[in-house]
């Protein structure tokens, strides 16, 4: 049984992922998404009735650190900015974003 | 009929609103308001890495960063234990219940100040829930308190002619608590009082500086109006952001009440939206419509194992809580007989309150009237007590109010001398002019020079002598 995907759903996902896509691409993704979900549907065949739900696999709890400054792992300003496309006076530079937050 | 004179009977209460539209709040609506308050915890290090947490005093931008708070691939966040404990302590101070089992979740959205493209926050299991803050206008329930990480700071500038945004990640991943209230707030002044009380309690716990100007504490108000008598929440909600003082919070809410009342009176529906507050103009302005309801795709952060506390640990935190302002003011009433109207303002700041405590305790030992002293301090009629000036304040107060013991014969001599200098006093007294007593009091005190006898004793002595004449 395949899940029905709409064009709107594809566009919504693209928007959430911040990936601009053309209308043609969006149309193609409708089919692609349905196919992918169809594959994932196969997982339903696995019997999970005896499996405890979990959202992590380590089984760990209470992994915390003391409140201590660790200078050794801190970057210098030059190191922090080393991979940036654009910098200015020690800042990362991006195209102007509307100050609405 | 002239259009300007509306028939009062037809429109009833609302007519008043239309005519006096500058007079603000119509009686027909009531405010429904809840606050969301963020505060940066003042831990030494950041929330999920060992970088220095001191964004406001950093010498340069982007000097307190590492792979974790810059969101580099493969970096592993580890939660700051103290930040978690402080969050729980705040919850306990506000009467919250504590989730013994809790976890961190990823909240996804794209913005340049968020390097990972998700913020580590808490979604369905916050550390604290169901608390309360008492205000003079009624209790305000706390829905939840959760812990998350702050974002970087954006500056909007022009560089080489181009309009750009500059990013400083010194603030990225600084521990940030969010305190969400129920929509229990009924007036703008109550919102202000609630927010101030929260700041007071946070400062008492010594977990955050709450510097409003720097953004160390940030206020957001969810406001809507309901027709008086109606039940349930209104269908819309206007979120006002960018408020950086308690006064602006009050003003922004008052502005929203007027704005929304006008729209409702005109029969318009109010859009669900986020508005900013322009303090210069005293107005809110639309920032973005909220119809594209954010889809944050929360899920538990697999990098951060869940947190589990025992009830014994929580009990330990409760035992560690300092005495909070309300409890301190009540105790001052019991121990020093200080009235609430002085005790409440004087307990507002923790460090000051500690100084006052020493002052009152010493005053009590010296058998001085602590309530009178509290009044003098509150009304600034006396040198403001600091740790260094307690002695001085006490001496000043004693000089103002303490009475000297005075020798009876010395007092009688002084009265006789005043009478000898003012022979008409006796006649007036005998004629029933009681005003001369006040004159006699003043003159007798002056005769005694620097000595300050108990006024009651002076009055009695004058009366006694006058009767013998």
């Amino acid at each position: 049984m395949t899940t029905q995907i709409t064009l709107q759903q594809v566009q919504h996902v693209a928007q959430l992922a911040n990936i601009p896509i053309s209308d043609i691409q969006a149309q193609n993704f409708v089919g692609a998404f349905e196919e992918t979900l169809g594959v994932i549907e196969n997982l339903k065949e696995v019997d999970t009735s005896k499996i405890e739900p979990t959202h992590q696999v380590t089984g760990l709890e209470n992994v915390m650190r003391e409140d201590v400054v660790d200078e050794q792992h801190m970057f210098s300003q030059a190191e922090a900015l080393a991979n940036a496309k654009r910098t200015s006076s020690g800042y990362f530079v991006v195209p102007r974003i509307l100050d609405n937050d | 009929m002239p259009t300007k004179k509306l028939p009062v009977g037809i429109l009833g209460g609302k007519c008043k609103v239309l005519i006096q539209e500058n007079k603000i709040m119509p009686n027909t609506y009531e405010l429904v308001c809840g606050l969301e308050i963020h505060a940066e915890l003042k831990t030494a290090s950041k929330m999920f890495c060992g970088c220095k947490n001191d964004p406001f005093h950093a010498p340069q931008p982007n000097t307190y960063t590492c792979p974790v708070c810059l969101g580099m691939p493969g970096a592993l966040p580890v939660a700051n234990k103290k930040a978690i404990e402080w969050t729980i302590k705040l919850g306990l101070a506000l009467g919250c219940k504590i989730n013994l089992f809790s976890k961190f979740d990823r909240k996804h959205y794209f913005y340049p100040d968020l390097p990972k493209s998700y913020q580590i926050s808490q979604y369905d299991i916050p550390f604290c829930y169901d608390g309360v803050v008492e205000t003079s206008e009624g209790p305000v329930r706390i829905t939840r308190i959760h812990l998350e990480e702050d974002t970087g700071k954006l500056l909007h500038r022009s560089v080489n002619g181009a309009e750009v945004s500059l990013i400083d990640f010194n603030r990225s991943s600084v521990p940030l608590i969010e305190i969400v209230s129920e929509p229990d707030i009924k007036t703008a002044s109550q919102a202000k009082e609630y927010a101030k009380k929260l700041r007071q309690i946070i400062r008492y716990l010594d977990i955050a500086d709450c510097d409003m100007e720097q953004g160390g504490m940030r206020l957001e108000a969810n406001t809507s109006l309901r027709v008086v008598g109606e039940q349930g929440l209104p269908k819309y909600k206007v979120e006002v952001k960018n408020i950086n003082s308690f006064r602006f919070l009050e003003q922004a809410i008052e502005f929203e009440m007027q704005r929304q009342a006008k729209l409702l009176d005109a029969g318009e529906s109010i859009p669900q939206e986020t508005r900013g507050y322009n303090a210069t103009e005293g107005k809110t302005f639309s920032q973005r419509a909220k119809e594209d309801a954010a889809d944050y795709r929360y899920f538990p952060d697999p990098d951060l194992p869940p947190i589990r506390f025992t009830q014994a640990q929580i009990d330990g935190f409760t035992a560690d809580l300092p005495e909070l302002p309300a409890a301190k003011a009540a105790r001052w009433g019991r121990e020093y007989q200080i009235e609430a109207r002085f005790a409440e303002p004087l307990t507002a700041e923790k460090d000051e309150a500690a100084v006052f405590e020493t002052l009152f305790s010493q005053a009590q030992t010296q058998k001085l009237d602590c309530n009178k002293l509290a009044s003098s301090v509150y009304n600034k009629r006396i040198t403001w007590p600091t740790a260094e000036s307690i002695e001085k304040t006490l001496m000043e107060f004693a000089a103002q109010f303490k009475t000297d013991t005075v020798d009876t014969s010395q007092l009688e001599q002084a009265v006789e001398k005043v009478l000898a200098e003012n022979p008409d006093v006796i006649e007036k007294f005998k004629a029933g002019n009681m005003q001369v007593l006040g004159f006699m009091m003043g003159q007798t005190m002056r005769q005694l020079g620097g000595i300050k006898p108990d006024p009651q004793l002076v009055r009695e002595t004058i009366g006694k002598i006058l009767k013998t004449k």
Side-chain angles (χ1 to χ4, degrees):
Chain A
M1 208 187 112
T2 51
T3 311
Q4 294 292 311
I5 294 292
T6 65
L7 190 63
Q8 285 73 28
Q9 281 174 313
V10 171
Q11 280 159 343
H12 180 59
V13 170
Q15 196 193 352
L16 289 177
N18 209 18
I19 298 173
I21 53 171
S22 68
D23 288 348
I24 296 163
Q25 284 174 314
Q27 197 59 59
N28 289 337
F29 274 125
V30 171
F33 277 20
E34 282 174 352
E35 206 175 308
T36 305
L37 288 172
V39 172
I40 290 170
E41 281 286 302
N42 292 337
L43 287 174
K44 285 194 174 164
E45 290 168 17
V46 181
D47 177 12
T48 57
S49 60
K50 293 193 178 71
I51 307 289
E52 284 256 328
T54 184
H55 50 70
Q56 58 125 321
V57 294
T58 60
L60 294 172
E61 278 183 358
N62 296 340
V63 178
M64 290 178 268
R65 36 174 282 276
E66 295 301 321
D67 181 29
V68 178
V69 175
D70 174 12
E71 305 249 359
Q72 271 204 318
H73 288 91
M74 281 168 64
F75 283 146
S76 68
Q77 190 186 64
E79 286 170 327
L81 299 172
N83 297 319
K85 250 191 229 166
R86 264 189 86 189
T87 64
S88 172
S89 322
Y91 291 94
F92 292 84
V93 179
V94 294
R96 170 70 64 93
I97 184 136
L98 281 174
D99 187 16
N100 64 359
D101 239 347
Chain B
M1 191 192 298
T3 49
K4 276 181 188 170
K5 282 189 183 173
L6 291 166
V8 173
I10 293 173
L11 288 173
K14 280 202 174 177
C15 177
K16 210 166 133 195
V17 176
L18 293 173
I19 291 169
Q20 307 184 338
E21 58 182 2
N22 292 329
K23 278 287 205 173
I24 332 271
M25 196 50 195
N27 291 323
T28 39
Y29 301 111
E30 64 182 4
L31 175 71
V32 179
C33 171
L35 293 189
E36 286 172 27
I37 297 183
H38 284 92
E40 288 174 350
L41 296 180
K42 58 175 189 182
T43 48
S45 65
K46 289 187 178 180
M47 185 60 229
F48 297 109
C49 59
C51 284
K52 196 168 180 183
N53 169 18
D54 194 16
F56 306 143
H57 303 104
Q60 287 282 317
N62 296 303
T63 47
Y64 298 160
T65 68
C66 75
V68 175
C69 58
L70 284 181
M72 292 186 164
L76 184 69
V78 186
N80 185 329
K81 191 175 166 191
K82 187 176 261 179
I84 294 173
E85 291 178 355
W86 282 0
T87 307
I88 290 175
K89 279 191 182 176
L90 175 63
L92 293 169
L94 300 178
C96 287
K97 294 171 188 148
I98 306 299
N99 277 314
L100 292 180
F101 177 84
S102 188
K103 63 183 171 69
F104 288 102
D105 302 275
R106 293 184 179 183
K107 175 183 179 178
H108 300 81
Y109 63 94
F110 287 100
Y111 214 68
D113 60 12
L114 189 68
K116 297 188 293 293
S117 291
Y118 62 84
Q119 178 191 29
I120 305 176
S121 181
Q122 294 191 285
Y123 180 50
D124 54 340
I125 316 179
F127 285 120
C128 320
Y129 64 103
D130 281 0
V132 71
V133 171
E134 297 293 341
T135 74
S136 59
E137 297 178 57
V140 177
R141 287 169 298 158
I142 305 283
T143 314
R144 57 183 278 161
I145 305 172
H146 69 255
L147 180 57
E148 58 191 24
E149 56 178 343
D150 209 345
T151 61
K153 192 170 172 51
L154 288 174
L155 297 169
H156 307 287
R157 295 278 185 281
S158 186
V159 174
N160 300 329
E163 300 291 299
V164 298
S165 296
L166 304 177
I167 320 170
D168 173 10
F169 287 111
N170 284 341
R171 201 182 67 179
S172 175
S173 208
V174 162
L176 190 68
I177 43 169
E178 178 171 343
I179 306 153
V180 182
S181 89
E182 290 289 304
D184 289 347
I185 295 165
K186 294 176 208 76
T187 66
S189 61
Q190 190 186 16
K192 183 167 105 174
E193 187 185 339
Y194 163 81
K196 281 180 115 168
K197 280 228 159 142
L198 263 187
R199 182 179 68 167
Q200 188 187 58
I201 291 167
I202 291 170
R203 284 184 172 171
Y204 254 74
L205 296 174
D206 206 20
I207 60 173
D209 289 328
C210 297
D211 184 328
M212 307 270 292
E213 291 212 345
Q214 302 257 40
M217 182 178 187
R218 313 199 270 273
L219 313 173
E220 291 164 35
N222 287 308
T223 59
S224 37
L225 293 184
R226 173 169 63 196
V227 172
V228 169
E230 276 185 10
Q231 295 297 314
L233 293 179
K235 288 189 184 68
Y236 72 96
K237 181 169 87 174
V238 175
E239 186 180 0
V240 187
K241 288 186 152 189
N242 303 346
I243 305 170
N244 66 355
S245 86
F246 296 121
R247 195 161 52 92
F248 294 159
L249 172 70
E250 193 174 20
Q251 288 170 1
I253 293 174
E254 270 164 9
F255 178 85
E256 272 304 302
M257 287 165 77
Q258 287 178 62
R259 188 185 70 86
Q260 294 176 22
K262 269 187 207 168
L263 288 170
L264 292 173
D265 276 338
E268 290 178 39
S269 65
I270 297 171
Q272 183 105 342
E273 63 177 349
T274 299
R275 297 177 74 86
Y277 181 66
N278 182 325
T280 321
E281 293 181 29
K283 288 177 179 171
T284 65
F285 57 93
S286 182
Q287 285 189 315
R288 68 178 136 91
K290 269 217 154 174
E291 56 220 37
D292 54 327
D295 185 348
Y296 292 124
R297 292 148 293 146
Y298 282 99
F299 65 75
D301 193 318
D303 284 343
L304 292 155
I307 315 285
R308 194 185 297 275
F309 284 99
T310 63
Q311 188 55 48
Q313 282 175 301
I314 304 299
D315 294 345
F317 296 145
T318 308
D320 277 353
L321 287 180
E323 183 180 42
L324 294 170
K328 197 186 287 289
R331 182 173 57 76
W332 283 7
R334 290 191 308 272
E335 283 182 19
Y336 306 120
Q337 284 73 49
I338 295 172
E339 292 169 73
R341 63 189 167 124
F342 306 130
E344 277 169 18
L346 293 180
T347 49
E349 295 284 341
K350 189 187 187 186
D351 293 347
E352 282 179 5
V355 173
F356 299 150
E357 180 90 48
T358 316
L359 178 75
F360 295 140
S361 130
Q362 289 187 14
Q364 197 171 44
T365 315
Q366 297 178 26
K367 303 217 183 314
L368 297 171
D369 184 334
C370 288
N371 192 51
K372 226 178 229 177
L373 176 57
S375 162
S376 294
V377 172
Y378 174 66
N379 291 302
K380 300 204 165 64
R381 284 197 302 258
I382 203 164
T383 300
W384 187 255
T386 63
E388 294 77 34
S389 75
I390 284 180
E391 271 311 306
K392 188 164 179 250
T393 308
L394 276 176
M395 276 163 65
E396 252 179 61
F397 176 75
Q400 275 178 30
F401 290 101
K402 199 176 156 196
T403 56
D404 295 325
T405 43
V406 60
D407 187 68
T408 317
S409 63
Q410 193 188 356
L411 183 55
E412 285 172 359
Q413 272 176 23
V415 176
E416 291 288 1
K417 192 161 181 231
V418 176
L419 283 176
E421 286 168 8
N422 302 279
D424 56 324
V425 166
I426 298 167
E427 290 310 310
K428 283 182 181 166
F429 179 75
K430 285 189 172 161
N433 182 348
M434 290 298 147
Q435 282 175 357
V436 294
L437 282 178
F439 170 78
M440 284 299 295
M441 285 282 293
Q443 292 300 311
T444 307
M445 294 291 216
R446 185 183 287 180
Q447 275 295 328
L448 290 166
I451 307 165
K452 277 195 177 176
D454 180 357
Q456 186 65 27
L457 179 67
V458 179
R459 197 176 295 117
E460 282 168 13
T461 309
I462 294 169
K464 199 173 73 189
I465 292 176
L466 278 173
K467 273 176 198 152
T468 63
K469 298 291 170 185

